[in-house]
C-alpha cells in the first residue's frame, strides 16, 4: 500500500536535513506504529507524505498503491486515498465543519469520477459517524475546530477519517490530549475502519494507545531514520526503558 | 475663504455643465442652499486629508468617463424575496418595469412628486441630514447631489412594512451619468427594509438620507453592481432616535471606483447602529469605505464590520470613525476593518479613529491586513479540496463576519451566493 524508499528530506528554506533515508512499507490491512524521540522527524514524514509546502525531497521515493505520490498536489494525494490526522489540527474560522467535510468528500469523489453525495445523504452519513464518536450536532455546526478542546479536535480528525474512508491513514499523535474515555472512542473509531484494504501508520509516544489499536509492526524513528523495527512488544520495551538502550545499540553499531 | 485654485477650477468646470432641476417650493430652496455649500467647500481635491487614498478626479469630472455595460450573466439577486421593486434605468425611474408602489403603511413617491407638494415630510429630511453631516468633515459630492439630483424616491413607513422596498439600478448606456437622491423616514415604532442592487450607471452619485424615529427600525442591504469601469460615490446619512435600530450592509464586487460614505448620528438613548461591508475585487478595483458614527446619546451601540478581499493589484480603503460626545455615556462602540490580500500587488489603507469625550464608554477598534492562512489552506487541501476551491472557501470565511451582520437569513444567503458565484467565475475564467 504505502511504500517509502530511502526518503531524504530537507527544509526548503534552510540547509537542514530532517529525514535521512527512511524506509518503510505498510501493506494493505496492516497497522504500523512509529515511535521515537521528540524531533526525530515523525511529523515531518507525515507532512511530506501528505504534501505540505516547505520541504524538499532530495532523494528517495514514496508510492501509494504503486503511484508516485511525491509529485502530486495535496488534494490529489487525498483523492488517491491518503489521509493525515494532524498532530495539531488547524482552526478555520468562518468555515463550518459540515460544509468543510461535505466539500472535501465531494471534491474527492469528483476527482475519482464518482457521483457527489447529496446534502441529505451526507447529513445522514455524518450524523451516524458523529454519534459513534460522541460528537454532538452543535460541534458539527461550529467552524472547523474553532473553540474545540484538544481532545475534541482529535475526535474531529477521526470523524473526518470515518467520513472520507481513506485507504491509507496516518495518525500523528492522535492520542495526545485525549482522556481515557476519548482514547477508547477514538480507538474504536480507528478499529472500526480496520479492514483488509486499508493501511494505518500510527505515530505515538505512548504504548497505551497501542493496547487499543494493536499494531502489526512497530518502528522506532531517530534522527530521521527508522532505526529499529519489531512487533508490538517493541512498544512495551520503549515504554519501560525509554529510547536510551536502542540509541546506544545504534551508536555501538555505527 | 477663497478656495485653492485647482479646487476652484474643478468645481467651476463641474458646475458649468449642470443645471438645477426645475420645480418650485421647498425643494428649490434646499437645492440652492446645497449649491451654495458646494461652492463654498469646493469639490474634493487630492490634497484633502479625507481623500488621501482615493482620487476624486473621476467623480468630480465634468464629463463621466464611459463604462461599458457588462453582460448581465449573474443570477438575479433578491428574486425569491417578496418585495416592491422600483427600477431605475441609468438613474431614471422606470414605472413600466416597476411594481405598483403600494404597500400598507408605507408611502412611496418619486422625488419630483414630493417637490410639487407645498407641505411634505421630506422637506425636513432632504438635504437636512446631508447638511448636518458636513461638519466636521466636508462631503461636497453629497451636497452636489442634493443640488442637482432630479430623481429618487421618498419613502415613509408608518408601521411595520410587510416586505422590503427593492431599488434596482440598471445600467444601459455606456455614457450614463446619474444622480439619485432618496429620503426615507421610518416613523415611531415602524420598520422598513430597503434593498438596492445594480451598477446604476457609468457614473453614479447617490445620496440616501434616513430618519429613524424613536423605536423604529431600518435595515438596508445593497449589492453594488460589478460593471468593471463603473464609478460610484454614495452617501448614506442616518439620524437615529431613541431605541431605534439602523443596520446597513453593502456588498461590492468589482467596479473601478467606489466610495461609500456612511454617516450616522445617534441622537436618542439606547439606539443601535451597525454598518458593514464585504468587498471583493481585482485589478483596477478601488474600494473605499468611509464611515463616521457620532454618539450623541446615552447607552447606544455602534458596530462597524468591514472586510475586503483584494487581488491582482486592487486597492481597498477604510476610514472609520467613532465620535463619542461628552453626553454619550455608556457608549458601546466597536469597529473592525480587515483586508485579505491575495497577492503582493494589492493594497489596503486603513485609518481607524476613536474620538471620545465621555468617560464611561467601551470602545474598541482593530484593523488588519494579511494573506491567506497557509496552514488552513493546507488543511483543506489535505482533505481533498482543490487549491483554488480551498482558497475560495477561506475567502468566503473571511467575509462571513460581515455577512453575519445581515439579520434576514434569506437575504444573507443571497449575498453569500452572489459572492460565491463571483469567486467561482474567477476560478473558471
Ligand atoms: N519548518 C521547520 N522549520 C524548522 N525546523 C523544522 C521545521 N519542520 C521540522 N523542523 C525540525 O525538524 C525536526 C523534526 O521535527 P518533527 O516535527 O518531524 O519531529 P517529531 O518527531 O514529530 O517530534 P514530536 O515527537 O515532538 O512531535 C525538529 O528538529 C524540528 O525542529
Ligand atoms: Mg510530531
Amino acid at each position: 500500500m504505502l511504500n517509502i524508499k530511502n526518503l531524504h528530506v530537507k527544509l526548503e528554506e534552510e540547509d537542514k536535513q530532517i529525514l535521512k533515508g527512511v524506509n518503510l512499507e505498510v501493506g494493505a490491512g496492516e497497522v504500523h506504529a512509529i515511535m521515537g524521540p521528540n524531533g526525530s522527524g515523525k511529523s515531518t514524514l507525515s507532512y511530506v507524505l501528505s504534501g505540505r509546502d516547505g520541504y524538499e525531497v532530495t532523494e528517495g521515493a514514496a508510492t501509494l498503491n504503486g503511484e508516485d505520490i511525491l509529485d502530486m498536489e495535496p488534494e490529489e494525494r487525498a483523492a488517491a486515498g491518503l489521509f493525515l490526522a494532524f498532530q495539531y489540527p488547524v482552526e478555520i474560522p468562518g468555515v463550518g465543519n459540515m460544509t468543510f467535510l461535505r466539500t472535501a468528500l465531494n471534491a474527492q469523489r469528483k476527482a475519482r469520477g464518482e457521483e457527489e453525495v447529496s446534502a441529505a445523504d451526507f447529513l445522514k452519513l455524518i450524523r451516524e459517524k458523529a454519534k459513534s464518536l460522541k460528537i454532538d450536532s452543535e460541534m458539527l455546526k461550529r467552524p472547523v475546530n474553532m473553540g474545540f478542546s484538544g481532545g475534541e479536535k482529535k475526535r474531529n480528525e477521526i470523524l473526518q477519517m470515518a467520513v472520507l474512508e481513506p485507504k491509507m491513514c496516518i495518525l500523528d499523535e492522535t492520542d495526545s490530549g485525549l482522556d481515557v474515555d476519548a482514547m477508547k472512542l477514538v480507538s474504536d473509531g480507528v478499529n472500526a475502519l480496520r479492514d483488509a484494504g486499508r493501511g494505518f501508520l500510527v505515530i505515538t509516544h505512548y504504548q497505551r494507545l497501542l493496547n487499543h489499536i494493536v499494531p502489526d509492526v512497530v518502528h522506532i524513528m531517530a534522527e530521521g531514520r527508522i532505526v529499529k523495527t519489531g512487533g508490538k512488544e517493541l512498544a512495551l520495551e520503549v515504554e519501560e526503558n525509554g529510547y536510551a538502550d536502542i540509541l546506544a545499540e545504534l551508536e555501538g553499531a555505527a | 475663504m477663497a478656495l485653492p485654485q485647482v479646487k476652484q477650477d474643478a468645481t467651476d468646470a463641474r458646475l458649468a455643465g449642470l443645471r438645477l432641476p426645475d420645480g418650485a417650493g421647498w425643494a428649490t430652496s434646499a437645492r440652492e442652499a446645497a449649491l451654495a455649500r458646494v461652492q463654498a467647500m469646493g469639490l474634493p481635491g487630492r490634497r484633502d486629508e479625507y481623500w488621501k487614498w482615493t482620487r476624486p478626479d473621476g467623480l468630480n469630472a465634468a464629463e463621466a468617463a464611459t463604462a461599458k455595460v457588462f453582460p448581465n450573466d449573474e443570477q438575479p439577486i433578491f428574486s425569491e424575496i417578496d418585495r416592491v421593486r422600483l427600477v431605475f434605468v441609468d438613474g431614471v425611474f422606470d414605472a413600466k418595469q416597476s411594481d405598483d408602489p403600494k404597500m400598507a403603511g408605507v408611502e412611496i413617491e418619486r422625488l419630483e412628486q414630493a417637490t410639487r407638494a407645498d407641505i411634505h415630510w421630506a422637506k425636513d429630511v432632504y438635504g437636512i441630514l446631508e447638511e448636518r453631516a458636513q461638519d466636521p468633515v466636508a462631503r461636497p459630492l453629497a451636497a452636489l447631489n442634493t443640488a442637482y439630483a432630479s430623481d429618487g424616491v421618498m419613502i415613509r413607513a408608518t408601521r411595520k412594512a410587510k416586505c422590503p422596498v427593492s431599488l434596482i439600478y440598471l445600467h444601459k448606456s455606456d455614457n450614463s451619468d446619474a444622480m439619485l437622491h432618496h429620503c426615507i423616514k421610518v416613523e415611531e415604532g415602524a420598520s422598513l427594509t430597503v434593498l438596492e442592487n445594480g451598477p446604476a450607471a457609468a457614473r453614479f452619485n447617490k445620496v440616501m438620507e434616513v430618519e429613524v424615529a424613536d423605536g423604529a427600525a431600518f435595515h438596508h442591504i445593497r449589492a453594488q453592481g460589478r460593471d468593471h469601469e463603473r464609478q460610484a460615490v454614495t452617501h448614506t446619512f442616518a439620524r437615529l432616535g431613541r431605541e431605534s435600530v439602523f443596520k446597513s450592509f453593502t456588498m461590492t464586487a468589482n467596479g473601478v471606483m467606489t466610495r461609500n460614505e456612511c454617516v450616522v448620528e445617534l441622537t436618542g438613548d439606547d439606539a443601535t447602529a451597525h454598518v458593514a461591508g464585504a468587498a471583493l475585487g481585482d485589478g483596477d478595483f478601488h474600494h473605499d469605505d468611509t464611515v463616521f458614527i457620532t454618539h450623541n446619546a446615552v447607552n447606544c451601540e455602534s458596530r462597524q464590520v468591514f472586510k475586503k478581499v483584494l487581488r491582482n493589484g486592487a486597492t481597498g480603503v477604510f476610514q472609520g470613525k467613532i465620535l463619542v460626545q461628552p453626553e454619550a455615556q455608556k457608549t458601546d462602540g466597536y469597529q473592525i476593518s480587515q483586508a485579505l490580500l491575495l497577492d503582493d500587488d494589492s493594497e489596503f489603507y486603513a485609518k481607524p479613529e476613536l474620538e471620545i469625550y465621555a468617560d464611561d464608554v467601551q470602545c474598541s477598534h482593530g484593523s488588519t491586513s494579511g494573506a491567506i492562512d497557509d496552514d488552513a489552506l493546507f488543511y483543506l487541501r489535505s482533505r481533498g479540496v482543490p487549491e483554488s476551491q480551498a482558497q475560495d472557501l477561506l475567502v468566503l470565511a473571511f467575509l462571513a463576519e460581515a455577512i453575519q451582520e445581515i439579520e434576514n437569513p434569506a437575504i444573507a444567503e443571497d449575498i453569500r451566493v452572489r459572492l460565491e458565484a463571483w469567486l467561482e467565475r474567477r476560478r473558471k475564467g
Side-chain angles (χ1 to χ4, degrees):
Chain A
M1 166 131 317
L2 179 67
N3 206 331
I4 304 167
K5 278 213 180 81
N6 194 30
L7 190 66
H8 286 70
V9 171
K10 70 178 270 293
L11 291 176
E12 214 168 54
E13 305 269 289
E14 286 173 55
D15 216 10
K16 183 171 174 185
Q17 199 74 29
I18 299 176
L19 299 184
K20 301 166 184 165
V22 175
N23 287 293
L24 186 68
E25 195 171 340
V26 181
E30 293 176 0
V31 174
H32 289 226
I34 299 189
M35 303 179 84
N38 293 130
S40 55
K42 305 181 297 296
S43 293
T44 303
L45 176 65
S46 70
Y47 285 141
V48 169
L49 291 174
S50 50
R52 188 187 178 126
D53 282 343
Y55 305 101
E56 195 184 315
V57 175
T58 51
E59 218 185 313
T63 57
L64 181 65
N65 289 322
E67 271 191 283
D68 177 5
I69 54 170
L70 296 179
D71 275 342
M72 294 183 188
E73 298 295 333
E75 54 269 30
E76 292 171 334
R77 301 179 198 206
L82 190 79
F83 180 91
L84 167 64
F86 283 57
Q87 181 172 4
Y88 305 107
V90 179
E91 296 187 358
I92 312 182
V95 177
N97 220 2
M98 297 259 259
T99 312
F100 158 58
L101 249 182
R102 191 154 84 88
T103 308
L105 179 63
N106 281 333
Q108 288 199 17
R109 293 183 68 97
K110 200 170 148 199
R112 291 193 291 257
E114 298 163 11
E115 215 172 296
E116 297 197 354
V117 177
S118 74
D121 287 347
F122 176 77
L123 203 64
K124 248 178 75 188
L125 174 73
I126 194 163
R127 286 221 174 111
E128 176 204 314
K129 305 281 188 193
K131 202 172 153 201
S132 61
L133 285 161
K134 295 218 166 92
I135 291 176
D136 61 32
S137 55
E138 190 269 332
M139 249 172 82
L140 291 176
K141 282 187 201 131
R142 263 193 267 164
V144 179
N145 292 322
M146 289 296 290
F148 288 25
S149 72
E152 285 170 342
K153 283 181 184 163
K154 297 303 177 82
R155 267 189 281 157
N156 198 31
E157 294 290 290
I158 300 306
L159 172 67
Q160 292 169 32
M161 190 170 88
V163 169
L164 298 171
E165 299 186 318
K167 297 244 162 43
M168 179 67 222
C169 310
I170 305 172
L171 277 60
D172 192 356
E173 293 195 28
T174 301
D175 53 338
S176 66
L178 292 183
D179 65 38
V180 183
D181 295 335
M183 171 99 77
K184 180 90 178 44
L185 278 176
V186 163
S187 306
D188 289 350
V190 172
N191 288 330
L193 282 168
R194 282 181 81 158
D195 72 28
R198 189 170 280 130
F200 286 89
L201 190 59
V202 180
I203 298 171
T204 184
H205 285 296
Y206 306 106
Q207 199 273 334
R208 198 173 50 157
L209 177 73
L210 303 179
N211 282 338
H212 296 287
I213 307 172
V214 182
D216 300 300
V217 183
V218 174
H219 307 275
I220 307 297
M221 188 168 205
E223 290 177 32
R225 270 187 216 103
I226 303 289
V227 295
K228 191 163 183 171
T229 296
K232 59 179 189 248
E233 65 287 345
L234 187 52
L236 282 168
E237 194 185 316
V238 168
E239 180 88 353
E240 270 169 37
N241 307 329
Y243 295 108
D245 292 356
I246 296 168
L247 296 180
E249 217 176 284
L250 219 67
E251 295 274 302
Chain B
M1 202 177 68
L3 295 174
Q5 200 54 46
V6 214
K7 203 176 254 250
Q8 187 68 57
D9 293 346
T11 308
D12 291 345
R14 180 70 188 273
L15 297 183
L18 292 168
R19 206 168 61 93
L20 290 182
D22 294 330
W26 63 267
T28 304
S29 45
R31 283 167 173 151
E32 282 166 357
L35 175 57
R37 283 197 287 283
V38 178
Q39 283 163 333
M41 294 184 266
L43 290 179
R46 291 176 56 190
R47 295 252 178 113
D48 297 356
E49 183 65 21
Y50 221 42
W51 290 83
K52 195 161 141 191
W53 295 308
T54 296
R55 292 183 65 156
D57 310 42
L59 301 169
N60 286 346
E63 294 269 326
T66 50
K68 272 198 269 334
V69 174
F70 223 62
N72 188 7
D73 56 352
E74 293 188 293
Q75 288 290 319
I77 197 166
F78 308 140
S79 57
E80 297 299 307
I81 289 155
D82 185 26
R83 59 192 168 140
V84 172
R85 294 173 310 139
L86 303 176
V87 177
F88 295 81
V89 178
D90 289 315
V92 180
F93 180 67
D94 184 343
K96 272 211 236 41
Q97 295 195 61
S98 302
D99 293 329
D100 189 12
K102 282 209 169 66
M103 202 191 324
V106 182
E107 297 161 19
I108 303 171
E109 282 169 281
R110 273 177 93 171
L111 169 60
E112 197 227 338
Q113 253 173 307
T115 58
R116 271 188 266 126
D118 288 336
I119 300 170
H120 199 280
W121 62 265
K123 179 177 184 292
D124 298 324
V125 179
Y126 191 94
I128 304 289
L129 271 53
E130 173 258 296
E131 186 186 2
R132 283 176 73 88
Q134 296 295 352
D135 183 48
V137 193
R139 304 169 201 280
L141 290 166
L144 184 81
N145 177 297
T146 301
Y148 292 103
S150 57
D151 216 334
V153 289
M154 309 287 111
I155 309 174
R156 177 168 168 260
T158 51
R159 47 171 136 142
K160 289 193 165 44
K162 162 177 132 289
C163 69
V165 174
S166 177
L167 309 177
I168 299 165
Y169 303 131
L170 304 181
H171 175 202
K172 294 277 185 199
S173 154
D174 291 352
N175 297 302
S176 52
D177 188 11
M179 281 195 202
L180 286 177
H181 195 119
H182 309 308
C183 291
I184 294 161
K185 188 164 188 190
V186 191
E187 300 283 6
E188 196 167 332
S191 70
L192 177 72
T193 297
V194 168
L195 308 175
E196 291 182 290
N197 72 282
R203 181 170 70 175
F204 188 40
N205 177 331
K206 191 206 71 180
V207 167
M208 185 162 84
E209 295 176 285
V210 190
E211 182 91 61
V212 191
D214 294 351
F218 177 72
H219 293 262
H220 172 226
I221 299 95
R222 75 174 148 179
Q224 285 179 310
R226 77 184 213 279
D227 295 15
H228 283 187
E229 294 154 308
R230 67 120 187 95
Q231 304 185 68
V233 55
T234 78
H235 290 82
T236 305
F237 300 108
R239 181 160 60 176
L240 274 60
R242 188 169 41 79
E243 288 172 28
S244 69
V245 173
F246 169 88
K247 292 191 182 177
S248 175
F249 170 90
T250 300
M251 181 213 106
T252 314
N254 272 16
V256 74
M257 165 61 66
T258 307
R259 163 94 165 198
N260 291 329
E261 295 195 20
C262 186
V263 186
V264 181
E265 196 184 341
L266 297 131
T267 60
D269 296 348
D270 307 304
T272 302
H274 291 190
V275 190
L280 192 154
D282 49 12
D284 292 336
F285 180 72
H286 180 105
H287 190 275
D288 175 334
D289 280 299
T290 291
V291 182
F292 199 115
I293 295 185
T294 306
H295 284 258
N296 269 328
V298 177
N299 198 33
C300 292
E301 184 212 323
S302 75
R303 224 176 125 75
Q304 301 172 42
V305 180
F306 286 88
K307 301 262 186 164
K308 294 182 207 289
V309 178
L310 306 166
R311 64 173 162 202
N312 298 338
T315 307
V317 176
F318 174 79
Q319 309 187 97
K321 177 153 182 168
I322 308 175
L323 170 61
V324 181
Q325 298 289 18
E327 61 276 20
Q329 297 296 357
K330 306 222 178 310
T331 286
D332 179 359
Y334 173 77
Q335 180 196 89
I336 181 97
S337 64
Q338 294 182 308
L340 182 60
L341 306 174
L342 297 183
D343 52 60
D344 294 339
D345 299 334
S346 300
E347 288 173 331
F348 178 57
Y349 303 96
K351 187 177 180 190
E353 268 186 294
L354 295 178
E355 193 177 330
I356 302 175
Y357 298 103
D359 44 30
D360 182 15
V361 303
Q362 200 183 331
C363 279
S364 62
H365 66 88
S367 182
T368 64
S369 70
I372 286 267
D373 177 351
D374 283 337
D375 289 338
L377 192 67
F378 175 64
Y379 192 70
L380 293 169
R381 295 179 73 191
S382 78
R383 297 305 182 241
V385 184
E387 183 175 17
S388 57
Q389 196 183 350
Q391 176 160 322
D392 288 357
L393 264 179
L394 294 174
V395 165
L396 281 175
F398 169 79
L399 295 172
E401 191 187 351
I403 300 169
Q404 272 159 20
E405 294 293 312
I406 303 172
E407 267 184 27
N408 181 315
I411 295 175
E413 182 59 15
D414 262 16
I415 294 287
R416 210 193 53 75
V417 165
R418 180 156 279 213
L419 287 166
E420 196 173 19
W422 191 92
L423 290 166
E424 212 166 296
R425 278 195 306 273
R426 290 293 129 146
R427 207 192 303 155
K428 295 189 175 126

